[in-house]
Amino acid sequence: MAAALQVLRHLARAPLSPLLWGGPLARLASSMALAEQARQLFESTVGAVLPGPMLQRALSLDPDSGQLKVRDRSFQLQQNLYLVGFGKAVLGMATAAEELLGQHLVQGVISVPKGIRAAMESAGKQEMLLKPHSRVQVFEGAEDNLPDRDALRAALAIRQLAEGLTADDLLLVLISGGGSALLPAPIPPVTLEEKQTLTKLLAARGATIQELNTIRKALSQLKGGGLAQAAYPAQVVSLILSDVVGDPVEVIASGPTVASIHSVQDCLHILNRYGLRAALPRSVKTVLARADSDPHGPHTCGHVLNVIIGSNALALAEAQKQAEALGYRAVVLSTAIQGDVKSVAQFYALLARVAGARLTMPGAGASVEEDEQLYELAADLQLPDLQLKEALEAVVGTRGPVCLLAGGEPTVQLQGSGKGGRNQELALRVGAELGRWPLGPIDVLFLSGGTDGQDGPTEAAGAWVRPELISQAAAQGLDVAAFLAHNDSHTFFCRFQGGAHLLHTGLTGTNVMDAHLLFLQPR
């Protein structure tokens, strides 16, 4: 068995050959090799946005002159460099930053999820852990990704450090997804509980994430540019790992180093819309009235340099490069996949059929009806950067294997009490859709994985599927529809073929949403 796995890994690393894929005796081996390549490409996707490589790309330090270069800006370091950070990936980011900056770093404070150091240690991720004599103080909090007293203490320590800086100092701010919950600092007299209650009420009445962020920023000392203001007159450089579609810096962690464009009137309009203005606590009314009468008006962030150092687009670009090295015609479809997981699954399955027909029958292709249906599904998903036409045109001129890549963050409407995550549910739904119709002389594999290595409350990052899933599951007595009805995708994949289709990476120390890989291989 071990020898067989070595052969498969060798095949997975080798460029694809028509001889490998064409013969009937090679079908099983090629199927397993394709799965191995899918895993390797997913690991390449994640590897491109790990903290170490990201920081090394973003920062360069001249040890002789003490010049720190960030993009096209240079900063002179003379015992004047400080660091703060908050987010799920910030522990690894801070470790990489301190390794790079060495003795130039005077002091740092970071706010990271509760239990993350122990989790990284047990996973053997020593490169994500600060050294014993680190100059960076670590606070753990925001259990279950909810603001709490521990996160509040961290936020106040970060504010205290920022407020003590002078015009000669440089503040390096590390930001990643989950940073909003790890940086709660309500403006007094508003309490943490009052702010949480208000945002929960708004969410329960259907407020959008943009509306929730507007209210959060108005009631926060540090969000909406508040941290940048606290650090003034020091120079501020924010290095941002984006987990938001489109990479809007004002949304990631609620934009602590980006001036808010919203006014008190915007807040009141939102509160009126959801019938909450009359029920506001006195403390909230006090803060909003104070902001409305501020003679200085909204502050600006001219002393700040905000830099996106890691994103879904960057990760997929690396995967595309690696796929091409393996002999695939690789195309990035979108980095903004959103919408209900059912609709996304239908889109990917129909895409496999339409693209597969173009690949195996260049002159004929899929039916006009299927083409129209695919474009209608794409329009319903409202993906601003979708390169569907370009991808299908690229497939037509290709004789060999194709890899279509995409990323984003679909949503799951919970109906049952099963165990799973959006990646495993998406993969299972795609597998079910692929089995609904014959695909012709083509091998298809779909993989969906979370770049943080944890899909929902499970230890898997995601899963991969093939069109044979429905029939193979039925042979094991597994009813795919029943598992989907209960949102129980993880249980299904654990039972299906001994869990062989689950994607296991462990915690990665990064997060740029999800990656979706669709492989099409003519037989």
Side-chain angles (χ1 to χ4, degrees):
M1 184 66 181
L5 285 173
Q6 285 183 346
V7 170
L8 289 175
R9 290 199 172 97
H10 170 72
L11 291 174
R13 287 191 294 271
L16 294 168
S17 160
L19 292 175
L20 169 64
W21 296 97
L25 295 178
R27 287 289 303 282
L28 178 60
S30 67
S31 174
M32 295 176 70
L34 182 56
E36 183 67 22
Q37 286 188 331
R39 290 192 185 95
Q40 287 184 8
L41 283 179
F42 180 73
E43 288 172 5
S44 298
T45 307
V46 173
V49 286
L50 290 176
M54 283 192 303
L55 267 293
Q56 288 164 7
R57 283 193 299 266
L59 302 176
S60 64
L61 176 65
D62 185 333
D64 297 324
S65 67
Q67 284 271 324
L68 179 67
K69 193 167 185 180
V70 187
R71 294 281 167 93
D72 58 347
R73 295 272 299 276
S74 292
F75 302 89
Q76 186 62 49
L77 302 186
Q78 292 175 323
Q79 287 297 299
N80 61 344
L81 177 63
Y82 297 81
L83 179 150
V84 297
F86 31 90
K88 294 179 181 178
V90 158
L91 180 62
M93 292 170 75
T95 302
E98 188 169 28
E99 184 78 21
L100 182 73
L101 300 168
Q103 297 300 309
H104 291 285
L105 181 62
V106 178
Q107 182 190 356
V109 178
I110 61 173
S111 178
V112 296
K114 188 174 291 294
I116 192 167
R117 285 178 292 185
M120 288 297 176
E121 193 160 350
S122 66
K125 303 265 186 181
Q126 295 301 317
E127 70 277 11
M128 300 285 177
L129 296 168
L130 292 160
K131 300 293 187 289
H133 302 294
S134 169
R135 298 185 180 189
V136 179
Q137 183 181 10
V138 181
F139 287 83
E140 292 190 3
E143 194 166 12
D144 298 323
N145 203 30
L146 294 171
D148 55 20
R149 289 283 157 192
D150 291 331
L152 177 60
R153 278 192 287 274
L156 296 180
I158 286 171
R159 188 194 70 183
Q160 185 177 20
L161 186 152
E163 288 178 339
L165 301 179
T166 70
D168 296 325
D169 294 323
L170 173 64
L171 179 64
L172 192 63
V173 183
L174 307 177
I175 302 175
S176 78
S180 187
L182 287 159
L183 196 72
I187 300 172
V190 177
T191 67
L192 182 61
E193 290 75 18
E194 286 173 331
K195 187 178 174 185
Q196 283 180 288
T197 299
L198 181 56
T199 51
K200 282 178 184 174
L201 283 171
L202 282 164
R205 297 191 182 193
T208 66
I209 186 63
Q210 290 83 2
E211 290 171 329
L212 289 171
N213 273 342
T214 298
I215 300 297
R216 283 189 188 118
K217 291 176 185 180
L219 301 178
S220 173
Q221 299 178 60
L222 298 175
K223 297 181 174 79
L227 176 59
Q229 188 69 6
Y232 186 82
Q235 291 290 302
V236 177
V237 173
S238 282
L239 304 180
I240 304 167
L241 178 61
S242 173
D243 72 332
V244 180
V245 167
D247 307 330
V249 290
E250 72 279 4
V251 173
I252 302 164
S254 300
T257 57
V258 184
S260 177
I261 59 171
H262 298 289
S263 66
V264 171
Q265 293 308 311
D266 294 326
C267 294
L268 295 177
H269 179 67
I270 292 167
L271 294 166
N272 280 330
R273 179 180 302 162
Y274 297 104
L276 291 173
R277 185 171 178 181
L280 287 179
R282 184 184 300 274
S283 59
V284 173
K285 292 178 180 177
T286 299
V287 168
L288 292 177
R290 194 188 301 155
D292 201 27
S293 61
D294 185 351
H296 301 293
H299 55 260
T300 60
C301 292
H303 60 301
V304 178
L305 174 63
N306 287 305
V307 182
I308 297 281
I309 64 167
S311 66
N312 194 266
L314 191 152
L316 290 182
E318 177 61 25
Q320 181 183 26
K321 189 168 75 173
Q322 294 296 327
E324 288 170 347
L326 286 168
Y328 288 92
R329 177 73 169 89
V331 181
V332 176
L333 276 170
S334 170
T335 60
I337 299 291
Q338 297 182 94
D340 184 72
V341 72
K342 294 179 186 176
S343 300
V344 175
Q346 289 169 356
F347 170 74
Y348 279 132
L350 189 54
L351 173 62
R353 182 163 169 78
V354 171
R358 279 170 163 77
L359 190 59
T360 56
M361 298 178 289
S367 69
V368 173
E369 183 182 345
E370 285 175 336
D371 274 25
E372 289 176 351
Q373 189 182 352
L374 179 63
Y375 278 97
E376 284 173 10
L377 277 172
D380 289 343
L381 288 172
Q382 299 181 337
L383 308 176
D385 66 341
L386 183 64
Q387 304 293 304
L388 179 57
K389 183 181 177 185
E390 293 80 354
L392 292 176
E393 286 174 352
V395 167
V396 170
T398 301
R399 295 289 181 184
V402 170
C403 178
L404 302 178
L405 307 102
E409 207 164 84
T411 52
V412 176
Q413 300 295 322
L414 292 176
Q415 299 167 314
S417 57
K419 188 175 183 180
R422 62 176 176 266
N423 287 285
Q424 292 164 81
E425 174 130 352
L426 175 60
L428 187 53
R429 288 190 179 278
V430 170
E433 290 286 336
L434 287 172
R436 288 178 56 199
W437 47 62
L439 292 167
I442 189 166
D443 287 318
V444 177
L445 184 145
F446 176 79
L447 179 149
S448 181
T451 56
D452 61 354
Q454 184 173 29
D455 186 35
T458 76
E459 293 184 356
W464 61 272
V465 294
R466 294 176 60 83
E468 300 83 7
L469 178 133
I470 290 279
S471 59
Q472 291 174 347
Q476 282 187 239
L478 300 174
D479 183 351
V480 171
F483 283 98
L484 285 173
H486 292 93
N487 299 116
D488 204 14
S489 55
H490 185 67
T491 304
F492 170 84
F493 281 115
C494 284
R495 295 181 186 174
F496 180 55
Q497 296 186 350
H501 287 244
L502 283 169
L503 186 64
H504 285 287
T505 62
L507 290 175
T508 63
T510 190
N511 181 20
V512 292
M513 302 182 289
D514 305 332
H516 306 150
L517 311 178
L518 178 61
F519 297 85
L520 306 168
Q521 168 61 52
R523 289 176 193 160

